[in-house]
Amino acid sequence: MPSPSESGATPRHTAPSEHKVRTLDPRSLRGLAHPLRMRLFRALRESGPATASQLAVRLDESSGATSYHLRQLAAYGFVEDAPEHGKGRERWWRATSQGIRLEPDRLNLADPVQRGAIDVLMHEVADNHTEELSTWLGTRHEWPTVWQEAYDLSDYSYRLTPAQAIELRERSEELLESFRAYEAQNADAEDAAAYRVHLHAFPRKTSADRSENPAPPEAQS
């Protein structure tokens, strides 16, 4: 059963049929679970091929750091050379997929090393979501009125079993993926824009749950 994934917008030079999502295994998870590597991989997915120097400027990092981590990403198969963009000695890079996905069945969640790598990855995804949402809230007045009416910032609460929660997630994914068919017809549409969707869904304890399962009393001395 898949866990939440991260998927970037399909660049204008990438056909919708090429929207590949890579499922992580223990080795590739370790290779990607680094904040700068995830930012580099995301930048290449969303904006297309670039050099280490260009990415360094975009991400406010040193070119030495971006160059090193791009080579590491290449060693794990997340990026590759884009020689058709190169001029002279410039080395251009491109992402090899447009998203990543964690499959718990392919990972050993009891392994503290893998758990630590998953924590790094998921917190980086959450931080990116927070940054993107904050950017929208801070700049939404710059968008046309029609776009200011086309966003959503909602939350919903249900009482579900794990199987029902998985069904909700999978049906949501099916609906979201169905909209990828619009990308080809919107490629040259003047009123189309990259539209980001975040899906957060998780269990939590309510005050009623805590009252039904009170904490054990402290030991009396």
Side-chain angles (χ1 to χ4, degrees), residues 43-174:
L44 291 174
R45 282 164 27 218
E46 295 183 350
S47 301
T51 67
S53 297
Q54 291 170 340
L55 291 166
V57 173
R58 192 181 308 170
L59 302 179
D60 194 24
E61 296 282 348
S62 72
S63 58
T66 56
S67 180
Y68 170 78
H69 286 291
L70 283 166
R71 292 196 301 272
Q72 292 299 304
L73 286 169
Y76 288 94
F78 289 102
V79 304
E80 63 185 6
D81 284 316
E84 67 275 15
H85 294 274
K87 295 180 181 179
R89 298 180 61 184
E90 284 186 322
R91 187 175 188 181
W92 285 68
W93 300 91
R94 63 179 165 224
T96 57
S97 68
Q98 280 300 311
I100 56 172
R101 179 181 292 271
L102 288 173
E103 295 275 2
D105 292 346
R106 300 186 62 174
L107 302 170
N108 179 9
L109 301 184
D111 180 354
V113 175
Q114 290 188 40
R115 286 205 314 272
I118 291 172
D119 285 347
V120 170
L121 186 146
M122 297 309 295
H123 279 90
E124 177 62 24
V125 171
D127 287 346
N128 175 246
H129 288 184
T130 300
E131 180 181 351
E132 290 181 341
L133 181 57
S134 296
T135 298
W136 160 251
L137 293 174
T139 61
R140 66 187 186 281
H141 62 280
E142 300 173 5
W143 288 79
T145 301
V146 65
W147 273 117
Q148 294 189 45
E149 296 174 349
Y151 82 100
D152 184 45
L153 188 59
S154 303
D155 58 81
Y156 306 86
S157 293
Y158 307 96
R159 192 162 187 87
L160 303 176
T161 65
Q164 292 164 343
I166 290 171
E167 179 186 358
L168 186 153
R169 185 189 67 204
E170 291 179 346
R171 289 174 63 179
S172 298
E173 290 176 350
E174 290 175 2

Side-chain angles (χ1 to χ4, degrees), residues 29-44:
L29 171 64
R30 291 194 301 272
L32 183 62
H34 183 284
L36 180 52
R37 291 180 197 174
M38 291 193 66
R39 292 170 63 205
L40 289 166
F41 182 47
R42 185 182 301 117
L44 291 174

